[in-house]
Amino acid sequence: MSNARTARFSRRGLFAAGGALGLGALVTACGSEDSKNGGSDAKGAAKSGPWSFKDDRGTTVKLDKVPSNIVAFTGVAAALYDYGIEVKGVFGPTKTKDGKADVQAGDLDVSKLTVFGNRFDQFNVEQYAAFQPEVLITTTFDAAGSLWYVPETSKDKIAKLAPSVAISVFDRQMPKPLQRMAELAESLGADLKAAKAVEAKKRFEAASERLRKAAKSRPEIKVLAGSASDAIFYVSGSNFSIDLEYFKALGVNLVEPPEKAMEANGGWFENLSWENVDKYPADIIMMDDRASTIQPADITEATWKKLPAVKAGQVISRSPEPILSYDKCTPLVENLAKAIESAKKVA
């Protein structure tokens, strides 16, 4: 779907939220599709030749050679890894408190990465400069092309050190950013015709068809996308999120908070108190899987435990910031299809 309006609300507000994008950070712009263990071999681009890529801001970055000293948002690095493209430096959720890989790190070996910032508003510019990056790659969650997880306070300094590339994950369905990430990976040397890459895309397409059939056969099953924090439960609408827009297009019966209820959050989601967590009846609840949110097993609120979907065990995970490779997005689609196929009508 295409929305003429632009989501406008504070970046700090988005960080504090959690429904659509969760406890992340919307930040300002500077001016895979394969299996595990590295995915497809990086054969496509000549390492010594010139490189250019036009990103989703309409910005074309040109370099004398294909970049090898790449810095990327962690989720982007994880997607490129699935194509066999190595990213040496990252920023964004990379390690959990116990030092293990964050869910957004995918199959990356986080012990081998240079991490310039592990959380919102954390980016070591001096370390980044010493790293001598050739390009910075991230996503963008708004129509303005703001660079995800690049802090407002240091964006200008960061922009002077290397050109940036942004893949849009705003107001479009999942296949589009998946395609764009594949094109980016190919420009960096990935072989999209390799057997693993071709098979990964086929699995995604098969999963999508399975979800379409499940939704068509079970139209009565209502699905809610939620996210939990200490004081607030967030219910996402499908207006801008790439996964929810896609699921809705495939026929999934999603809970949709009224636009007025989401206005304060730019149209992304509605804030509910835990006392009102039962406002929207749902047969399946998809919960934000990021480390910055409270996971279902750790929710102690009595109102949560009384929800029919919770009592029926019909709670599944959701990745509001999916790793943009076919290999990683396929399970997200499959899990929802399976949940709808087997769900009891409880709402």
Side-chain angles (χ1 to χ4, degrees):
M1 91 180 50
S2 176
N3 292 292
R5 65 190 186 286
T6 299
R8 297 185 61 188
F9 66 117
S10 75
R11 297 178 177 87
R12 181 64 66 173
L14 184 52
F15 175 76
L21 301 179
L23 309 180
L26 190 58
V27 288
T28 305
C30 311
S32 220
E33 169 178 89
D34 216 339
S35 315
K36 297 181 180 180
N37 302 321
S40 56
D41 295 331
K43 299 177 181 177
K47 294 298 181 181
S48 60
W51 179 79
S52 68
F53 186 80
K54 185 175 182 180
D55 75 0
D56 290 340
R57 300 169 299 174
T59 299
T60 299
V61 175
K62 296 182 179 181
L63 298 174
D64 292 337
K65 64 181 181 66
V66 177
S68 58
N69 217 31
I70 301 169
V71 172
F73 175 70
T74 303
V76 170
L80 292 175
Y81 177 85
D82 286 347
Y83 288 100
I85 304 301
E86 180 184 9
V87 173
K88 301 176 182 178
V90 299
F91 57 97
T94 306
K95 299 179 181 180
T96 57
K97 292 180 180 179
D98 58 6
K100 295 181 180 179
D102 188 276
V103 66
Q104 291 184 257
D107 295 328
L108 292 172
D109 184 346
V110 297
S111 68
K112 296 181 179 180
L113 296 171
T114 299
V115 183
F116 302 106
N118 198 60
R119 62 179 185 272
F120 167 65
D121 235 4
Q122 183 187 74
F123 197 114
N124 191 321
V125 180
E126 290 72 25
Q127 184 187 22
Y128 179 68
F131 190 79
Q132 297 184 315
E134 295 174 273
V135 66
L136 180 149
I137 308 174
T138 187
T139 52
T140 180
F141 277 92
D142 65 12
S146 304
L147 295 182
W148 190 238
Y149 262 78
V150 175
E152 173 72 18
T153 54
S154 55
K155 66 181 179 65
D156 292 335
K157 293 180 180 178
I158 292 170
K160 293 177 181 178
L161 297 171
S164 61
V165 168
I167 299 298
S168 178
V169 287
F170 172 71
D171 192 19
R172 58 193 59 196
Q173 294 175 23
M174 187 181 284
K176 182 61 176 179
L178 278 172
Q179 176 189 340
R180 292 292 287 144
M181 188 64 72
E183 292 169 354
L184 174 60
E186 184 176 39
S187 78
L188 294 169
D191 181 5
L192 299 187
K193 295 181 181 179
K196 289 183 179 180
V198 172
E199 179 60 27
K201 187 173 182 180
K202 286 182 178 179
R203 291 198 310 270
F204 176 79
E205 292 169 347
S208 297
E209 184 58 26
R210 178 182 176 182
L211 179 56
R212 186 192 305 276
K213 291 179 178 178
K216 185 176 181 179
S217 65
R218 302 296 306 278
E220 77 281 8
I221 298 300
K222 197 77 173 176
V223 180
L224 180 147
S227 186
S229 69
D230 287 331
I232 299 174
F233 184 80
Y234 308 89
V235 179
S236 294
S238 67
N239 285 344
F240 305 120
S241 300
I242 62 170
D243 61 333
L244 299 184
E245 284 200 11
Y246 188 46
F247 298 159
K248 185 175 183 178
L250 291 174
V252 175
N253 185 4
L254 291 171
V255 168
E256 295 279 7
E259 289 193 13
K260 188 171 181 62
M262 298 189 291
E263 280 181 358
N265 299 312
W268 288 92
F269 47 84
E270 177 182 1
N271 298 356
L272 297 179
S273 66
W274 283 105
E275 289 76 13
N276 294 317
V277 73
D278 60 352
K279 180 177 179 179
Y280 298 108
D283 301 292
I284 296 171
I285 301 176
M286 295 191 297
M287 289 296 290
D288 191 335
D289 67 355
R290 288 167 299 177
S292 54
T293 67
I294 300 176
Q295 296 305 298
D298 299 319
I299 299 175
T300 59
E301 300 290 341
T303 48
W304 164 261
K305 294 180 179 181
K306 292 179 181 178
L307 292 176
V310 175
K311 293 172 69 175
Q314 295 178 173
V315 178
I316 63 174
S317 64
R318 176 198 171 212
S319 298
E321 294 180 62
I323 294 172
L324 295 173
S325 71
Y326 293 104
D327 184 65
K328 294 298 182 294
C329 286
T330 295
L332 307 181
V333 181
E334 288 177 336
N335 290 345
L336 181 54
K338 181 179 178 181
I340 292 174
E341 289 166 351
S342 59
K344 296 178 182 178
K345 180 63 182 174
V346 296

